[in-house]
Amino acid sequence: MPAWLDDFLWTYQNLINTLGVNGLLALSMYVVLAVGQLSLGQAAFMGLGAYSSALMTMKLHLPFFVVLPASCVVPVLFALAIGVPTLRLSGVYLAIATIGLGEVLRTVYLNVDLVGGALGLNGIPERAEAWMIYGLLVVAIAALWLIGRSHVGRAMEAMRQDPVAASVMGVDVQRYQLGALLASAVLAGIAGCLSAHQSSFIGPNEYGFEPAVTILSFALLGGIGTPVASVVGAFILTLLPELLRGFSDLRLVFNGLIIVAAVLFLPRGLVALRMRRRAA
Amino acid sequence: MSLLQTEGLTRRYAGLVAVDAVTLAVPQGGVHAVIGPNGAGKTTFFNMLSGLVPPSEGTMRFAGQDITRGKAHRRAALGMARTFQNIRVFTEMTVLENVLTGLHAGMACGLAGVVLRLSGFRRAERAAVVASRAALDAVGLADHADALSGSLSYGDQRRLEIARAMVAKPRLLLLDEPAAGMNPAETESLAGLVRRIADGGTTVLLVEHDMGFVMGLSDSVSVLNFGRLIYSGTPAQARSEPAVVEAYLGARLAEKLRARHG
């Protein structure tokens, strides 16, 4: 490896890893939006993955190859607990319930000594490598792409456009909605685990409402026509604050503006490509 | 035995009985119409048949199975398909992809097969595309297969909806006001299409208030008025049935016409 590249990677290691983690989070948002649901629980699921995996590493001393896949267990259980009752109802109940989940969990993290209270968890071993993060990102994009180009992807797109017509075509809309929410919890949980094991510190305020909106803006900016589009949105929104460091206090304002602008001017996102929905 | 049988089917909304104890049998084969003035409960009746609205009372049987409590998505696998009064094609999908969704109930391959592109999955996808192109051909839309559905004309979107409903070769096709918004030429070609579908062995049940369309096409007619079934029989007899004429024209006008024409 040339010295300048080594230098570059060392300097920007944290940013490079964060980009990949945010890409996974964007996909976690994409899966839910792709079936026409709105969830604001991605940050909460990420937090559950981060805290549960950090505890598995620090208290149970489990190896990382066990911790990483196991980090999706707790988020999935919470997704089930929230999804089963709310997906029976149409409308914004899932969005509201998932906002509530994030706030409740934040308070729990603050007040439970096991997870460090307001101080969070420090000294998490740095076990997540860039190749793991990007490997999983590529696998997730490929899997979602292949699923998109199949009867499953057609059913998802159909119910996003018109759930009534989709159900008449034989699509079990509730089952797909729950499936998407669980897949989203898996992706966010793994992203949380990777992020916790590369930054060595996690705290209760990292998984509240603000990051939930940021993750939503990844997918809104990039678009949900293809899985890659949402990842592009995540990359742009992660890099911009780095490029505009002077504005970093206004980061949330900027995110809000981007959501408004995206809804007004780019209803399909920056990458407004449509996915071919068949494999033959 | 009838293909579809409702028994005292009722749907109440607060202060309104939209469908009132309708007992109706649809035999296997042919074209059957449910007609009635606006607000007679035709679409609510259809929505109960297709599982979109749960009945307040009564039962439904389809192809020998009780479907009263079954959900909408289960109907497709049993061989029931439908179109909508206000066309509901997936406008942001291509014409061919729309028709492919009509085969969803028969696509058994699991996620692992999809992601690994196993041979079973690839075979099913190829077969689905072949069947969908044939269904498009049958309604005259083969040349538009790769167009976005939202770009089709109104009449073509109706045909697309019919192709999407027919691609899985259902036993029963429910058409909700198929002639709505069509000009006479389009209506006539639609009648020919419906006839061909019935001749192909699919029983057709349609809701309509274009009487001309219904009378020439249907083997039997049932008339709903204020949610009640007031007539069931041949189209020819429906015309001379006083209750039917009254429902359409109002009692006073019907009386006048009778007086004038003896």
Side-chain angles (χ1 to χ4, degrees):
Chain A
M1 195 182 286
W4 64 267
L5 184 60
D6 201 36
D7 210 35
F8 176 85
L9 289 178
W10 191 84
T11 312
Y12 290 103
Q13 188 191 29
N14 193 41
L15 177 61
I16 291 168
N17 288 343
T18 305
L19 275 177
V21 166
N22 285 350
L24 284 169
L25 290 170
L27 291 177
S28 136
M29 193 73 239
Y30 161 83
V31 214
V32 179
L33 292 174
V35 296
Q37 284 285 313
L38 179 58
S39 151
L40 285 164
Q42 272 55 40
F45 294 143
M46 179 195 187
L48 288 166
Y51 270 104
S52 65
S53 65
L55 289 177
M56 281 187 267
T57 299
M58 295 168 74
K59 308 275 178 196
L60 302 178
H61 307 290
L62 293 175
F64 195 58
F65 72 88
V66 175
V67 171
L68 183 59
S71 64
C72 60
V73 172
V74 178
V76 160
L77 292 178
F78 275 79
L80 274 174
I82 274 221
V84 170
T86 52
L87 289 174
R88 292 173 175 279
L89 312 164
S90 56
V92 296
Y93 295 98
L94 179 64
I96 293 168
T98 46
I99 293 175
L101 175 69
E103 287 307 300
V104 168
L105 286 174
R106 195 173 63 88
T107 319
V108 170
Y109 300 145
L110 274 173
N111 291 292
V112 173
D113 288 338
L114 176 70
V115 296
L119 296 174
L121 290 174
N122 271 296
I124 305 165
E126 292 185 29
R127 291 186 179 160
E129 308 278 349
W131 65 265
M132 295 179 196
I133 297 173
Y134 284 91
L136 283 168
L137 182 62
V138 168
V139 167
I141 290 174
L144 290 173
W145 192 283
L146 290 165
I147 289 169
R149 296 183 55 152
S150 74
H151 59 283
V152 181
R154 289 192 292 272
M156 291 168 70
E157 177 63 8
M159 61 188 268
R160 188 185 70 78
Q161 291 185 33
D162 187 339
V164 170
S167 74
V168 168
M169 297 305 116
V171 178
D172 186 345
V173 171
Q174 276 182 20
R175 190 169 147 241
Y176 269 74
Q177 284 172 342
L178 188 61
L181 187 66
L182 296 182
S184 156
V186 167
L187 286 165
I190 284 178
C193 169
L194 290 166
S195 126
H197 287 82
Q198 65 102 20
S199 68
S200 86
F201 163 79
I202 55 175
N205 293 321
E206 287 176 46
Y207 311 108
F209 186 64
E210 181 187 328
V213 173
T214 306
I215 296 169
L216 174 63
S217 59
F218 293 163
L220 286 182
L221 178 70
I224 54 161
T226 63
V228 178
S230 59
V231 175
V232 169
F235 283 9
I236 291 173
L237 281 183
T238 312
L239 283 174
L240 267 184
E242 302 297 327
L243 300 174
L244 307 167
R245 270 187 184 280
F247 297 106
S248 65
D249 281 351
L250 295 171
R251 193 171 161 168
L252 196 57
V253 174
F254 196 70
N255 273 326
L257 282 177
I258 282 179
I259 293 181
V260 172
V263 169
L264 285 179
F265 303 112
L266 298 166
R268 287 151 191 269
L270 274 178
V271 189
L273 293 176
R274 213 191 65 85
M275 201 164 167
R276 195 174 145 101
R277 292 290 176 184
R278 57 194 168 92
Chain B
M1 201 189 70
S2 26
L3 180 61
L4 177 75
Q5 169 83 55
T6 73
E7 207 53 70
L9 203 62
T10 300
R11 175 66 206 194
R12 281 190 211 91
Y13 293 100
L16 170 82
V17 185
V19 175
D20 192 357
V22 171
T23 296
L24 181 73
V26 178
Q28 177 91 48
V31 178
H32 309 278
V34 177
I35 62 171
N38 274 330
K42 304 183 297 285
T43 291
T44 305
F45 180 64
F46 252 38
N47 283 345
M48 283 195 281
L49 293 183
S50 50
L52 297 175
V53 169
S56 309
E57 258 172 54
T59 59
M60 296 176 270
R61 290 184 72 76
F62 174 67
Q65 291 202 34
D66 188 324
I67 56 164
T68 311
R69 298 280 154 219
K71 291 202 185 137
H73 67 89
R74 300 223 183 273
R75 306 288 211 266
L78 292 175
M80 187 193 287
R82 74 167 285 178
T83 66
F84 294 90
Q85 180 181 351
N86 46 336
I87 301 171
R88 300 183 93 141
V89 297
F90 306 116
T91 51
E92 294 170 47
M93 286 166 104
T94 68
V95 168
L96 181 61
E97 288 163 357
N98 258 276
V99 182
L100 282 165
T101 62
L103 289 165
H104 182 84
M107 307 290 281
C109 185
L111 270 188
V114 170
V115 172
L116 301 175
R117 289 302 197 248
L118 297 182
S119 66
F121 166 75
R122 282 180 287 139
R123 210 176 310 124
E125 281 278 310
R126 275 197 300 272
V129 169
V130 169
S132 298
R133 288 197 189 279
L136 280 176
D137 205 29
V139 299
L141 284 177
D143 293 342
H144 296 78
D146 294 319
L148 272 190
S149 308
S151 70
L152 293 187
S153 72
Y154 185 82
D156 282 349
Q157 290 196 14
R158 275 220 178 281
R159 287 173 172 276
L160 169 57
E161 229 193 353
I162 293 174
R164 188 179 66 178
M166 283 303 296
V167 66
K169 304 194 172 19
R171 303 179 69 175
L172 177 68
L173 174 64
L174 304 171
L175 298 173
D176 192 354
E177 304 219 5
M182 287 195 156
N183 64 38
E186 286 174 327
T187 305
E188 202 181 314
S189 105
L190 178 70
L193 175 60
V194 172
R195 217 346 108 192
R196 283 201 300 282
I197 287 171
D199 291 344
T202 294
T203 308
V204 178
L205 180 65
L206 55 90
V207 151
E208 191 50 79
H209 58 216
D210 182 331
M211 292 294 271
F213 181 78
V214 167
M215 291 305 176
L217 186 65
S218 310
D219 300 304
S220 81
V221 167
S222 303
V223 185
L224 282 182
N225 193 28
F226 294 115
R228 287 173 172 274
L229 188 68
I230 57 171
Y231 172 84
S232 209
T234 65
Q237 272 178 341
R239 269 190 248 249
S240 51
E241 178 73 22
V244 176
V245 179
E246 265 180 42
Y248 267 86
L249 302 177
R252 207 182 291 167
L253 190 57
E255 193 56 47
K256 253 190 230 169
L257 281 175
R258 251 201 302 280
R260 198 175 300 165
H261 298 291

